Amino acid sequence: MALLELDGVSRRYGALVALDQVAMKVEEGEVRAVIGPNGAGKTTLFNVITGTVKPTAGAIRFAGQPIAGLPSHQVCRLGLSRTFQITSLFPEMSARQNAQLAAQARHPRRWQPFGGTRIFKEAQALADAALEQLGLSAIADRPAGLLSHGDQRLLEVAMAMAQQPRVLLLDEPTQGLSVEETGQAVDTLARFLQASRMTVLLVEHDMEVVFRLAHRITVLHRGAVIADGAPEQVKADPRVQDAYLGGLD
Ligand SMILES: Nc1ncnc2c1ncn2[C@@H]1O[C@H](COP(=O)(O)OP(=O)(O)OP(=O)(O)O)[C@@H](O)[C@H]1O
Ligand SMILES: [Mg+2]
């Protein structure tokens, strides 16, 4: 059984079909890239999987359990955590505090009164472990807003990891980074993915990054899946080349 499975998933905005009957299976331990031109539906796909947006049709199963239409906090609690295309950290708080808040957000009730220091320590331990996984231990006490752009993007990944997800969704982790910053961030991500064997869904425009990190690639064009397979297979697919060259318009 696939860990994450989508079947006929659609999302309309009025007349616009942002997702058109998307079918997809992600196996445990797989790094799956989702690529496609601007407006293809990549972020919408993340939004419907994580419950930020409800699909207008279709089924989504996580570990066999239907999750389509569940609110995002419930989806997160089940074990799907994401980063956002736009940076979403608290700049005045330290990297550690940001990761700690993320850890607490997954199980809000666990952190209510009477928990005391044990619970605080638990969140801190999850935060520290996640920062370590993303190579950020040395800068854990710095305000997040003062970190380099590359480290800020890695911190967002650490925040998602502090929630101990079974599936990690990364929306353009290298967006806004220079070529050099991208290289460093991707080196760290590659090491992290290798060591953790996380199941990952990755949206990424930079094809070098995609081919370096992904085991398998799904190509979206105007909301529909036009190709799905191993990187070499997808690269050679004439429909994919056409979509990027505007040939399907
Ligand atoms: N809330 C919304 N209301 C109306 N239309 C929307 C909404 N969200 C997305 N869309 C439309 O759905 C389509 C898919 O958008 P989406 O953001 O998923 O694309 P994307 O592949 O992530 O693009 P990018 O590469 O630019 O991030 C676009 O045409 C977009 O304008
Ligand atoms: Mg997007």
Side-chain angles (χ1 to χ4, degrees):
M1 183 180 63
L3 184 55
L4 181 67
E5 195 169 345
L6 280 69
D7 213 349
V9 171
S10 298
R11 170 70 209 198
R12 291 174 167 275
Y13 290 106
L16 181 95
V17 183
L19 288 178
D20 187 4
Q21 306 210 34
V22 171
M24 194 168 161
K25 281 183 186 180
V26 182
E27 303 293 335
E28 184 136 36
E30 181 181 328
V31 177
R32 171 73 59 98
V34 178
I35 66 171
N38 287 115
K42 304 177 299 293
T43 296
T44 305
L45 181 71
F46 272 28
N47 287 342
V48 300
I49 292 171
T50 56
T52 313
V53 158
K54 281 190 201 308
T56 39
I60 307 175
R61 278 179 296 276
F62 171 59
Q65 181 179 347
I67 60 164
L70 286 185
S72 55
H73 65 272
Q74 269 183 40
V75 175
C76 176
R77 214 166 293 165
L78 288 172
L80 290 103
S81 295
R82 74 179 292 183
T83 65
F84 288 87
Q85 193 167 357
I86 310 288
T87 294
S88 60
L89 37 80
F90 295 103
E92 307 82 19
M93 296 173 68
S94 71
R96 178 183 280 124
Q97 285 169 324
N98 271 282
Q100 209 170 316
L101 269 189
Q104 293 174 8
R106 181 175 170 187
H107 298 288
R109 227 173 283 127
R110 249 170 51 195
W111 317 99
Q112 305 265 312
F114 315 118
T117 43
R118 184 185 59 83
I119 275 168
F120 179 82
K121 287 208 168 116
E122 203 176 313
Q124 207 162 48
L126 290 174
D128 286 343
L131 291 170
E132 163 108 50
Q133 278 184 297
L134 275 307
L136 297 173
S137 300
I139 53 85
D141 291 316
R142 282 200 212 147
L146 297 184
L147 302 179
S148 69
H149 288 130
D151 283 349
Q152 288 185 359
R153 299 317 304 249
L154 292 173
L155 173 56
E156 291 177 73
V157 180
M159 287 161 66
M161 283 304 291
Q163 301 182 326
Q164 298 187 292
R166 284 184 72 191
V167 178
L168 178 65
L169 297 99
L170 306 177
D171 197 351
E172 304 226 24
T174 70
Q175 172 156 303
L177 301 184
S178 68
V179 174
E180 200 194 339
E181 287 171 328
T182 296
Q184 288 171 358
V186 173
D187 285 347
T188 304
L189 280 176
R191 274 196 300 273
F192 153 65
L193 292 176
Q194 190 113 46
S196 66
R197 297 178 183 262
M198 272 301 295
T199 309
V200 175
L201 237 64
L202 167 76
V203 169
E204 179 56 60
H205 268 115
D206 186 327
M207 285 306 120
E208 256 181 65
V209 176
V210 167
F211 284 107
R212 187 149 166 222
L213 298 180
H215 302 146
R216 200 178 166 98
I217 301 176
T218 298
V219 187
L220 281 182
H221 183 71
R222 300 189 163 186
V225 174
I226 60 163
D228 188 325
E232 291 315 313
Q233 205 181 335
V234 165
K235 206 186 215 169
D237 190 322
R239 275 175 65 81
V240 176
Q241 290 167 6
D242 282 353
Y244 277 102
L245 297 171
L248 290 181
D249 287 349

